Amino acid sequence: MLDLPAPALFGQLLLGAINGAFYALLSLGLAVIFGLLHVVNFAHGAQYALGAFCAYLLLKFAGVPYWGALILSPLIVGLLGSAFERLFLRRLYDVDNIYQLLLTFSLALIIEGTLRALFGSSGFPYENPLPGGINLGFMFMPYYRAWVVAVSIVLCVATWLVIEKTKLGSYLRAATERPDLVRTFGINVPLMVTVTYGAGAALAAFAGVLAAPIYQVNPGMGANLLIIVFAVVVIGGMGSLMGSVVAGFGLGLLEGLTKLVYPTASSTVIFVVMALVLLLRPAGLAGREVH
Amino acid sequence: MPETVLPLLSLRDVCANYGPSRALHGVTLDVHSGELVTLVGRNGAGKTTTLKAIAGLMRDRTGSIAIGGAETIRLAPEKIARLGAAYCPEERGIFASLSVEENLLLPPVLHQSGYSADDIYQLFPRLYERRSSQGTKLSGGEQQILAIARILRTGAKLLLLDEPTEGLAPVIVDQIGDIVRILRQRGFTILLVEQNFEFASQLADRIYVVENGRVVEHFSADEARSQPDRLRAYLSV
């Protein structure tokens, strides 16, 4: 199609897939939280940064390697998220949505501000746990980047399976529609809400750990990404898991391709798509119309 | 009904509010084990609110509501469910994102007496035929049957049914009546809210009339049948 050298094309596609993996993981977490809580979690980017910092601190002070941090860090951030839901967010479910937005936004500012005060804004490198790569003939594939794309896809599919195919998932889907009625069946919906918020925060932290060796660990890493992720969520359809994941990877690839064809537009193309989707299909590509 | 037997459900002076406006002004009533008791009254009298208060869905409620002797006025809905009460809402509450079977199997089995899927399909063969359809694709009557069948899963002994005949064709209303009768024969205790006067007086052991958030009159089944005009007077506009 375009007169481009193959290594450049595939190199950009790989970069697009990597970015897409992060978009997908983060928008998936947002969609899980929005689906059940109807809260737009503005703290998501900060929880992603917190995940990366957890990995960095675990390594520095406890000698916990990358693979341990990949488990521990989401666990820690997930527990912090659950505590936040229980102690603060829960008090605001009965009032206008703008208050939940303000609360999660202020949490993001507090987390990022604290990280900046403690560690500065220049950031830290995190050693690549899978150095090296393989020459595929048409391009060079670094092992770590292949791992990021693969594990993201596995995690997205696993989350989708849990929600669509398990008993717990049917509780979640039902509670999304009628939380009060689900409670009268004897199901502890408030506990489910706490766990769901924690799981969403844990997903963000997992993405943060994945990102640490690729990007730098720095306090602003989530804030930059979150704006794009919100665009991805809008394009995929608010609350739709499948929509978020497909839009995440798709838009990452689109961004990569745009970088090849017309580099200046690469940072804008996602927002152009968002504007088009909002005009033509306001509920998003996979979103259900709100009646 | 001998007075010495403790009622399965006992409401004393129950008040409840929707925000600033009071919907119940002191409801007092008893339902004994195995009874089918009906609440009748005009629209907005507080019948549905009474059921919601028993199920724990009215957060702002005072007075006393005892189920099997246990006070529930401060309990969360999921705790009340564990005491053996189950609530079937007027709008049926069938989940659109779940299939018929997923809807049916959604409530967890809380007591040993909970119905298995086979028990329920035997009682309601129509649901078996439609088990893989989306829940809200069923007809109104089928959705009502699904909503009633679903709450048998938990093993609840006390069923709170809110206007199961609303908006249904007469032939379906008869089917729902048969179902309610079968459940009563099987030993369920039922508190039924009903606008359909004929339906209510044919089924009920006793009838409470609710007006302005209070119980204002009480009829036994015999009284309701022998003095239908007195009962009807409460319901006419």
Side-chain angles (χ1 to χ4, degrees), chain B residues 201-218:
Chain B
S201 56
Q202 277 169 28
L203 284 173
D205 296 315
R206 290 187 297 121
I207 297 175
Y208 285 107
V209 181
V210 181
E211 218 169 65
N212 298 322
R214 279 188 195 87
V215 170
V216 293
E217 184 73 270
H218 172 252

Side-chain angles (χ1 to χ4, degrees), chain A residues 95-182:
Chain A
V95 294
D96 196 278
N97 281 357
I98 194 83
Y99 290 93
Q100 302 145 18
L101 191 153
L102 286 171
L103 179 70
T104 55
F105 188 57
S106 65
L107 177 70
L109 293 178
I110 291 169
I111 292 175
E112 283 163 12
T114 308
L115 291 176
R116 204 162 272 133
L118 291 174
F119 305 106
S121 22
S122 55
F124 308 98
Y126 189 96
E127 202 192 335
N128 183 349
L130 284 175
I134 183 169
N135 195 337
L136 298 175
F138 54 91
M139 68 176 290
F140 181 75
M141 169 69 94
Y143 291 133
Y144 187 75
R145 298 192 173 218
W147 153 252
V148 168
V149 175
V151 76
S152 305
I153 292 173
V154 168
L155 201 59
C156 289
V157 171
T159 306
W160 182 81
L161 283 176
V162 166
I163 291 186
E164 292 297 325
K165 302 287 169 202
T166 66
K167 188 82 203 174
L168 176 68
S170 68
Y171 290 163
L172 279 166
R173 278 176 289 143
T176 298
E177 289 183 48
R178 285 289 303 269
D180 55 336
L181 193 57
V182 174

Side-chain angles (χ1 to χ4, degrees), chain A residues 58-77:
Chain A
L58 280 168
L59 180 65
K60 190 171 176 193
F61 294 107
V64 177
Y66 172 85
W67 305 104
L70 206 51
I71 307 287
L72 275 182
S73 185
L75 214 59
I76 294 167
V77 177

Side-chain angles (χ1 to χ4, degrees), chain A residues 184-186, chain B residues 9 54-55 67 72 77-87 110-111 151 154-160:
Chain A
T184 69
F185 297 154
Chain B
L9 172 72
I54 299 167
I67 297 174
T72 68
E78 57 269 20
K79 297 265 169 55
I80 294 173
R82 283 166 197 279
L83 291 173
Y87 167 65
L110 301 174
H111 304 278
I151 61 174
T154 60
K157 281 276 144 227
L158 172 64
L159 308 183
L160 309 166

